Amino acid sequence: MDDLRDRLARTRWPDEIPGTAWEYGFDLAFLKDICDYWRHQFDWKAQVEKLSSFHHYRYTPNTAGIHFIHERGKGPAPIPLILTHGWPGSFLEMLRIIPLLTDPAAHGGDASDSFDVVVPSMPGYGFSDRPTTRGMNTFRIAELWVELMNELGYNRFAAQGGDVGAGVSTALGLRHSQSILGIHLNYIPGSYRPHLAAKTKLAPVEEEFLKHAAQWYDESGAYAHIQRTQPQTAAYGLNDSPAALAAWILEKFRSWSDCEGDLYR
């Protein structure tokens, strides 16, 4: 923590053309405000206490060790459910929903709708180990999730995921249907589109959608192209500078929402 605060204090800020705000990327004044908040106001102790209220475990297969939360449902027959986060997220995304799923009766729901909830950190995220070999893609992660759930005694289970987690959950349905009760997806990446046969004629509204999707990728998708092609090059700056990492991650959220301000709080 001391090192983080010291790095934030010693951030070497770039110049910017006056009045350009967000035109060329993350606004300088806004990022300075974020980093000042991170350094002086963010309550780390409260976050540790919040994390400690859940049951954390590690699963150690032959590859990268996996961190996960496991909370059992309070109902007559809880359904096993694995929740997979996306990028640039983590298992933290799921903390608010875990009590609703494990104990719906305490939140105005029906106890018969409870779940045994497993929330892993994907390899390279959070408290999970970083991959040391090639091939740690969504299909390999899906295999790890099946192994993990089987180790916990769940031969069949449901899966939910968003963003990269949507890819993992889809892979579970495609490759491991014998183990899957059902899948639920949110924020499905743009690459997930139905197959179109050659010479298929699209409706005008479909053509317009593809046009806007291509435009968004051209204007806001640079991070995705870099991470797919030269991730190691970007990693030097992002791993060394917390301010750079904050700008990289938060810029993606801004490009999703096209808004500023309270989004980051």
Side-chain angles (χ1 to χ4, degrees):
M1 298 306 305
D2 290 340
D3 179 67
L4 171 61
R5 293 190 177 100
D6 181 60
R7 285 172 179 267
L8 289 170
R10 293 187 296 107
T11 301
R12 295 186 298 176
W13 300 104
D15 296 326
E16 68 173 358
I17 298 174
T20 54
W22 301 86
E23 185 177 351
Y24 295 116
F26 210 95
D27 179 72
L28 177 62
F30 196 87
L31 186 60
K32 284 184 175 180
D33 179 56
I34 288 289
C35 289
D36 183 76
Y37 165 78
W38 193 5
R39 183 182 174 208
H40 295 292
Q41 301 177 48
F42 188 76
D43 192 342
W44 292 99
K45 186 174 183 294
Q47 303 309 310
V48 172
E49 291 175 352
K50 183 178 180 180
L51 290 179
S52 298
S53 66
F54 296 91
H55 295 92
H56 297 259
Y57 303 91
R58 278 181 65 84
Y59 170 57
T60 309
N62 295 327
T63 53
I66 301 299
H67 155 266
F68 66 98
I69 288 175
H70 186 200
E71 297 292 335
R72 296 191 179 275
K74 299 178 180 178
I79 298 172
L81 171 65
I82 190 165
L83 305 175
T84 308
H85 63 83
W87 183 92
S90 74
F91 73 97
L92 297 174
E93 298 174 25
M94 312 299 181
L95 298 187
R96 187 180 299 179
I97 199 174
I98 291 175
L100 306 179
L101 293 169
T102 55
D103 192 9
H107 299 86
D110 190 331
S112 63
D113 293 328
S114 67
F115 294 85
D116 280 355
V117 178
V118 177
V119 183
S121 297
M122 290 192 295
Y125 292 75
F127 300 123
S128 287
D129 295 344
R130 284 172 283 193
T132 57
T133 58
R134 299 172 183 265
M136 188 57 73
N137 53 34
T138 53
F139 287 97
R140 177 62 186 127
I141 295 172
E143 292 177 8
L144 287 173
W145 282 190
V146 173
E147 294 173 17
L148 168 61
M149 295 299 277
N150 289 344
E151 286 288 329
L152 294 173
Y154 303 126
N155 294 321
R156 299 196 72 206
F157 55 92
Q160 195 283 331
D163 191 61
V164 179
V168 174
S169 299
T170 299
L172 283 167
L174 290 172
R175 296 277 180 89
H176 306 278
S177 59
Q178 73 282 357
S179 299
I180 300 302
L181 297 170
I183 66 172
H184 177 275
L185 310 176
N186 69 289
Y187 187 65
I188 304 172
S191 58
Y192 287 76
R193 295 176 182 171
H195 172 72
L196 296 177
K199 300 182 179 180
T200 299
K201 183 173 179 58
L202 299 178
V205 66
E206 293 171 327
E207 293 279 11
E208 189 68 14
F209 169 80
L210 293 178
K211 176 183 175 182
H212 283 299
Q215 180 181 352
W216 181 92
Y217 190 82
D218 286 343
E219 296 176 355
S220 304
Y223 70 90
H225 186 68
I226 291 174
Q227 289 177 177
R228 277 201 305 268
T229 56
Q230 285 89 34
Q232 189 71 14
T233 301
Y236 295 110
L238 303 183
N239 197 55
D240 187 62
S241 170
L245 184 62
W248 187 266
I249 290 175
L250 293 174
E251 173 63 23
K252 180 180 180 182
F253 286 120
R254 191 183 75 88
S255 68
W256 284 346
S257 61
D258 292 324
C259 68
E260 305 166 9
D262 290 342
L263 168 69
Y264 302 113
R265 297 300 189 190

